Amino acid sequence: MGEQELPGVLILEIGGECGVLESHVAFLRKHFSLITMKEFLQNKEKWSEKTESIFVFERRPVIDRELLESLPNLKVIGNSGVGVNHLDLKLISSFGVKVTNTPHAVSDSTADIGMALMLASARRLVEGYHIAVSPDTKDFAVDWLGVEVTRATLGIIGMGSIGYKVAKRAKAFDMKILYHNRSQRKEKEEQAVGAVYCKKIEDLLQQSDFVMLVVNLTPETHKLIGKRELEFMKPTATLINICRGAVVDQDALVEALQNGVIRAAALDVTYPEPLPRDHPLLKLKNVTLTPHIGTATVKALRMMTEEAVDNILAVLQDLPVPSEVIPK
Amino acid sequence: MKEYIKNKKDLSHKIKAIYMWWHKPAVDSEFLQSLPNLKVITSSGVGVDHLDLKLISSFGVKVANTPHAVSNPTADMGMALLLASARRIVEGCEIAVSSDTKYFEADWLGEEVTGATLGIIGMGSIGYKVAQRAKAFDMKILYHNRNQRKQEEEQAVGAIYCKKMDDLLQQSDFVMLIVSLTPETHKLIGKRELELMKPTATLINICRGPVVDQDALVHALQNGVIKAAAVDVTYPEPLPRDHPLLKLKNIIITPHIGSATSKSRWVMMENMVENILSGVNGLPLPNEVHP
């Protein structure tokens, strides 16, 4: 079977800043004829009819009306990752193109990062590291303390697959688990992780020692956590964000952290990413920032590519699509 | 101590207990001789490697520690270090705030914790709590201990006993040290043990620095014999500022903060008071340590 017979998939590029990983290329080439944006732009006539799918990795290539109009045979956009807030779902749907994401591949590694950030923040791990290696350190202070994670109260906002996996992990630390979600989970599911439903987000905010955000970014969740919500939180509480920066009102967060409205924050995601180098969040002592590494493991990225490929192939072969994202 | 030294004559007979917080006040033969009515020394934390237990016992003085106060926060710290090392949290923070950072690279990756193999060396209270936590990450758990645990205990955390420590070292992605420091466990992990570990493995130490041969560890980290280490304890603490471990990129060091939470310090204090009261009143100590 020559490469010409494989369906065409458009990608941004291989390697580089945000291109598809070189180590994934061989796998992709088993199923697809790979077309980079550079090749496409150089020879639109040749490639536009062959392009039946787009593999979006690290939010590229950017999908706009112009691109959609130039791909008459496009059937599916397979996104690597679960968040699709960077895609205009209505626009894409209007061209009769399906969108798929990779919820299964991301859930374990993202839940792990949530736990990693909660523990690192509570125990002041990064600060501690700097003390341990600083040339100025003469002794380790005995009264230098963090906060306890075991038996503390964790409030999970967004109890989808990732939120539920966080609950499972937190339960092993004997944490009391509260959760807020669009809909309540089944009783069996709640009992398995000892999670208590808070219909009102304020109840969760008021009782939690750690608040973890694990929601999709949609118009409804944009700035879900603002000044009011931060003020509901305990002054000893920590906010952890592992979903999307825009779920938090960043200016309100800066103010809350500067004024002790909450104790600390640990953020894997911000708006934008990276933040401008003079942003106040970079200077605050009570913030732990990581560069959106929720799925940054060899295993997770590999699984994301595989899941995206499965979804793309299902659409092209007219089979049931495991993870189609339907616009509301 | 200041008051005691000023007024030894009056105070020495009154002292029935020593509340030893972070190894202070230190006790030696001379000090013990000067306290005829001393009944009990309570030491904060669980480790007693800083005490000459035989010497103290020869004066008829009992020793107590605070094992329960430390076990949860220390187990939490073990998991914190495991996750921080695997997911490169310290490095990630530096990138996130560095003035040189223009974009976040796609090809910057860590190691998956879920489903990986954790080998626990020392399955006492702390080790067992680590196993409970690791199980929730779907980790495969191997353990090595002086004695095998009961079957129900093993099953509850899905832990598999490795009678030979070598078997654990060869199969683990993460090796966590949670033993007491004794003459038997001194330099338990040396060149040979590090070479048995996978080159992709991480060593985590949350017990005592001397359990590891530090020079061998430096060599192993420099030469890719193991991938990385994360240690809350070293020998000495702090390390000299020119020590090679401080310069290596593939090690996370924290300043012995395994039990550094306000809650645990409070519980320690309560335990110590309880042991002192028991000791002074001639009752059995809840947490006596025998030589």
Side-chain angles (χ1 to χ4, degrees), chain B:
Chain B
M1 277 301 285
K2 194 169 171 191
E3 290 167 324
Y4 170 72
I5 289 166
K6 271 196 201 155
N7 200 353
K8 276 192 192 178
K9 233 177 70 160
D10 287 336
L11 293 173
S12 63
H13 291 266
K14 292 193 176 162
I15 292 172
K16 297 191 181 160
I18 295 177
Y19 181 91
M20 189 181 282
W21 191 256
W22 260 259
H23 308 188
K24 305 208 176 93
V27 297
D28 56 13
S29 197
E30 188 191 330
F31 191 37
L32 290 166
Q33 274 167 30
S34 67
L35 301 173
N37 293 324
L38 181 66
K39 292 193 166 44
V40 57
I41 296 172
T42 59
S43 176
S44 65
V46 65
V48 288
D49 47 283
H50 57 287
L51 295 172
D52 186 336
L53 297 175
K54 283 208 175 100
L55 174 71
I56 296 166
S57 177
S58 72
F59 283 84
V61 175
K62 295 188 180 191
V63 171
N65 60 357
T66 64
H68 306 297
V70 306
S71 48
N72 286 324
T74 310
D76 288 356
M77 195 69 201
M79 294 304 296
L81 284 170
L82 189 160
L83 286 158
S85 182
R87 303 301 296 270
R88 302 170 68 186
I89 298 285
V90 175
E91 273 180 275
C93 283
E94 278 166 17
I95 291 170
V97 306
S98 162
S99 46
D100 300 328
T101 294
K102 293 183 169 54
Y103 59 86
F104 294 159
E105 275 176 48
D107 207 355
W108 188 97
L109 305 175
E111 196 190 326
E112 191 100 348
V113 167
T114 294
T117 299
L118 169 62
I120 298 173
I121 297 178
M123 192 78 133
S125 317
I126 302 172
Y128 194 75
K129 285 181 187 236
V130 170
Q132 281 173 325
R133 286 149 177 71
K135 177 176 198 283
F137 289 76
D138 274 337
M139 295 187 88
K140 177 175 175 186
I141 299 165
L142 307 174
Y143 78 101
H144 176 74
N145 204 38
R146 280 174 296 194
N147 319 297
Q148 189 166 1
R149 281 220 172 212
K150 297 193 195 110
Q151 205 182 70
E152 313 90 71
E153 292 175 335
E154 285 183 338
Q155 277 171 4
V157 296
I160 297 168
Y161 185 55
C162 290
K163 197 172 161 110
K164 296 203 290 183
M165 197 170 79
D166 291 5
D167 291 336
L168 179 152
L169 295 169
Q170 287 173 317
Q171 298 178 66
S172 300
D173 299 306
F174 299 91
V175 174
M176 199 179 297
L177 306 175
I178 319 185
V179 293
S180 326
L181 176 60
T182 65
E184 290 75 37
T185 62
H186 184 258
K187 288 194 179 168
L188 180 67
I189 303 295
K191 183 177 195 293
R192 182 186 163 277
E193 289 70 30
L194 292 162
E195 283 172 1
L196 284 169
M197 283 172 67
K198 296 184 188 185
T200 51
T202 302
L203 180 71
I204 299 147
N205 189 1
I206 53 169
C207 57
R208 284 291 182 270
V211 169
V212 176
D213 175 341
Q214 253 169 208
D215 296 334
L217 178 63
V218 170
H219 184 264
L221 289 169
Q222 283 171 338
N223 296 304
V225 174
I226 62 172
K227 185 176 86 108
V231 302
D232 187 42
V233 288
T234 57
Y235 176 69
E237 287 168 12
L239 287 168
R241 299 293 88 188
D242 60 356
H243 196 283
L245 282 177
L246 268 58
K247 298 176 186 56
L248 291 172
K249 283 198 164 295
N250 51 349
I251 183 166
I252 295 177
I253 307 174
T254 47
H256 199 155
I257 50 175
S259 66
T261 68
S262 350
K263 185 175 180 184
S264 85
R265 296 292 157 85
W266 184 265
V267 174
M268 263 184 214
M269 182 268 293
E270 286 182 333
N271 287 164
M272 288 165 77
V273 166
E274 204 189 331
N275 278 277
I276 286 175
L277 292 174
S278 302
V280 159
N281 293 318
L283 295 166
L285 301 189
N287 306 110
E288 186 169 358
V289 182
H290 300 278

Side-chain angles (χ1 to χ4, degrees), chain A residues 156-280:
Chain A
I156 300 174
I157 298 178
M159 193 76 133
S161 317
I162 301 171
Y164 194 75
K165 288 188 180 212
V166 170
K168 210 178 124 200
R169 285 150 178 70
K171 177 174 197 281
F173 288 75
D174 259 335
M175 295 188 89
K176 176 175 175 184
I177 299 167
L178 307 174
Y179 78 101
H180 176 75
N181 205 37
R182 281 173 296 194
S183 34
Q184 189 166 359
R185 282 223 171 209
K186 299 193 189 108
E187 204 182 300
K188 245 176 67 177
E189 292 176 334
E190 287 183 337
Q191 278 170 6
V193 296
V196 173
Y197 184 55
C198 291
K199 199 174 161 104
K200 296 204 295 184
I201 200 178
E202 293 82 12
D203 291 337
L204 179 151
L205 294 169
Q206 285 176 314
Q207 299 178 66
S208 300
D209 300 304
F210 298 91
V211 174
M212 198 179 302
L213 306 176
V214 203
V215 293
N216 301 336
L217 176 60
T218 63
E220 290 76 36
T221 62
H222 184 257
K223 289 193 178 170
L224 179 67
I225 304 296
K227 185 180 198 300
R228 182 180 166 276
E229 288 71 30
L230 292 162
E231 284 171 357
F232 269 113
M233 284 172 66
K234 295 184 187 182
T236 52
T238 303
L239 180 70
I240 301 144
N241 190 358
I242 56 168
C243 57
R244 284 293 180 267
V247 169
V248 176
D249 176 343
Q250 254 170 210
D251 295 335
L253 178 62
V254 169
E255 201 182 316
L257 289 165
Q258 283 171 337
N259 298 314
V261 173
I262 63 171
R263 185 194 81 105
L267 313 171
D268 188 42
V269 288
T270 58
Y271 178 70
E273 286 168 13
L275 286 168
R277 299 294 85 190
D278 58 359
H279 197 282

